[in-house]
Amino acid sequence: MASTARFDVVAIGNAIVDVLARTDDALIAAEGLTKGSMRLIDAAEAERLYAAMGPAIEMSGGSAANTLAGMAALGQRCGFIGQVAEDQLGKVFAHDLTSLGVDYTTASREGEPPTARCLILVTPDGQRTMNTFLGASQYLPAAALDEAMIADADILYLEGYLWDPAEPRAAMRRAIEVSRSAGRKVAFTLSDAFVIDRHGDDFRALIAEGQIDILFANEVEISSLTGEADFDAAVAILAPQVPLLVVTRGAHGAIAVTGGTRTEVGAEPIDEVVDTTGAGDLFAAGFLAGHAEGRPMADCLTMGAVCAREIIAQVGPRAQTDLRAKIAARLG
């Protein structure tokens, strides 16, 4: 029976404006950065690094917002909750996201700090090194939640990155209560190993308490969460603890485990990796779109893989191709 919920997915995440610039390995080395990593920076460092970057593309971003943008492009009904400041970048973020078809009505925040931004350095090998100033996004209070929106979504999708600051962490805990009280599902993406290093106990507790219905991770994250270096051993530990576990493996594809059944697909072929920014976010978009449509698990994984392929073949996390057409061509 088709869902009567207003939204397929409502997500809570960092409301960030992405600033992407191509660069060479020399700048990465000169700045003492670890290629392919994500680090948090303060306002002063954001200004300094921005000045060192070359010509850039600016667009609304943030992991969960990227996922919703992809889902909206696939025809899903989406809503976003995230905090921006009452400034120009905040207006840019709100306009851009709503123009994509995502419902976004969170009130902007007055005063300091300004709207968050992520400075992304893309090297010739397609790796992206992210430098994130969280700004206003880390001040999302529980009072800013649209609880009616959350209760009217089949899935609440939570971004692990936003678990780091205290205020939005409390808001996300409240959102979980609202979603589960309404009989909905909660999906959680672990986001990054550094988040697990800081909050792994929280995540393991949420899983043990049965608060997470769908868990998204990559190989590094599942290892960090379980403490098991061997991939299959880590999956064996975690899969029985969640109704649906989804793990991406880069060039090795992705797996999903539900009810003791493991489904695996390979990565989609690609001529050139241009920029890996948003690959995991768009994988989640494709997977959740398939899930919302009630497709078989293999199709959900394939949809995720197709979306990820399209994103890494271009610069930036917003699809420049027709994702629906690409999926239709792939799945028939």
Side-chain angles (χ1 to χ4, degrees):
M1 190 172 86
S3 171
T4 58
R6 179 184 170 200
F7 297 99
D8 296 302
V9 173
V10 164
I12 302 178
N14 281 309
I16 300 175
V17 174
D18 283 342
V19 182
L20 298 100
R22 292 183 180 274
T23 190
D24 54 24
D25 291 333
L27 180 62
I28 302 295
E31 292 291 336
L33 304 176
T34 301
K35 186 193 290 190
S37 68
M38 196 289 284
R39 65 169 181 148
L40 300 178
I41 59 176
D42 59 20
E45 174 67 358
E47 291 294 334
R48 189 199 65 75
L49 185 58
Y50 181 74
M53 295 171 67
I57 299 170
E58 299 183 357
M59 65 188 75
S60 65
S63 176
N66 289 342
T67 294
L68 293 190
M71 291 194 71
L74 292 171
Q76 307 304 315
R77 304 159 300 157
C78 305
F80 180 72
I81 298 171
Q83 189 69 68
V84 297
E86 185 61 50
D87 57 18
Q88 184 58 32
L89 280 182
K91 292 180 174 65
V92 167
F93 179 91
H95 177 270
D96 188 51
L97 196 60
T98 55
S99 73
L100 297 170
V102 177
D103 193 301
Y104 176 59
T105 58
T106 308
S108 56
R109 185 177 186 272
E110 295 183 358
E112 294 294 323
T115 295
R117 72 286 313 264
C118 182
L119 309 179
I120 305 172
L121 301 172
V122 184
T123 41
D125 58 2
Q127 286 293 309
R128 81 283 186 270
T129 304
M130 300 188 294
N131 305 270
T132 305
F133 168 57
L134 290 170
S137 69
Q138 62 186 324
Y139 293 96
L140 175 73
L145 297 177
D146 185 335
E147 295 193 357
M149 174 188 279
I150 294 168
D152 210 5
D154 282 327
I155 295 174
L156 170 68
Y157 182 76
L158 302 177
E159 177 186 323
Y161 283 130
L162 196 56
W163 199 264
D164 207 42
E167 199 165 15
R169 189 186 319 140
M172 293 169 93
R173 287 190 181 277
R174 173 57 188 162
I176 291 172
E177 293 176 359
V178 172
S179 178
R180 300 200 70 83
S181 294
R184 308 302 190 181
K185 292 181 179 179
V186 175
F188 197 98
T189 177
L190 292 172
S191 293
D192 196 284
F194 94 87
V195 181
I196 300 168
D197 290 342
R198 292 164 65 95
H199 303 288
D201 288 344
D202 276 357
F203 299 160
R204 285 183 281 269
L206 288 172
I207 291 168
E209 293 163 7
Q211 301 296 313
I212 306 301
D213 299 289
I214 306 172
L215 183 67
F216 287 90
N218 63 26
E219 286 182 290
V220 175
E221 292 155 6
I222 193 175
S223 177
S224 295
L225 190 66
T226 62
E228 177 55 67
D230 180 78
F231 177 73
D232 289 325
V235 170
I237 291 170
L238 194 54
Q241 300 182 51
V242 290
L244 174 54
L245 173 66
V246 183
V247 188
T248 56
R249 307 188 67 190
H252 298 293
I255 72 161
V257 185
T258 182
T261 299
R262 173 167 165 163
T263 306
E264 188 163 355
V265 301
E268 292 292 303
I270 182 171
D271 293 331
E272 180 186 7
V273 175
V274 175
D275 172 20
T276 55
T277 306
D281 304 334
L282 269 292
F283 176 89
F287 183 92
L288 287 171
H291 188 277
E293 294 170 2
R295 293 183 181 239
M297 200 58 61
D299 284 3
C300 295
L301 289 168
T302 299
M303 288 174 67
V306 169
C307 291
R309 178 196 67 198
E310 294 302 302
I311 289 304
I312 64 178
Q314 61 169 58
V315 173
R318 295 286 183 266
Q320 297 165 21
T321 55
D322 186 337
L323 294 180
R324 297 174 87 169
K326 296 290 185 179
I327 287 171
R330 175 65 176 81
L331 293 177

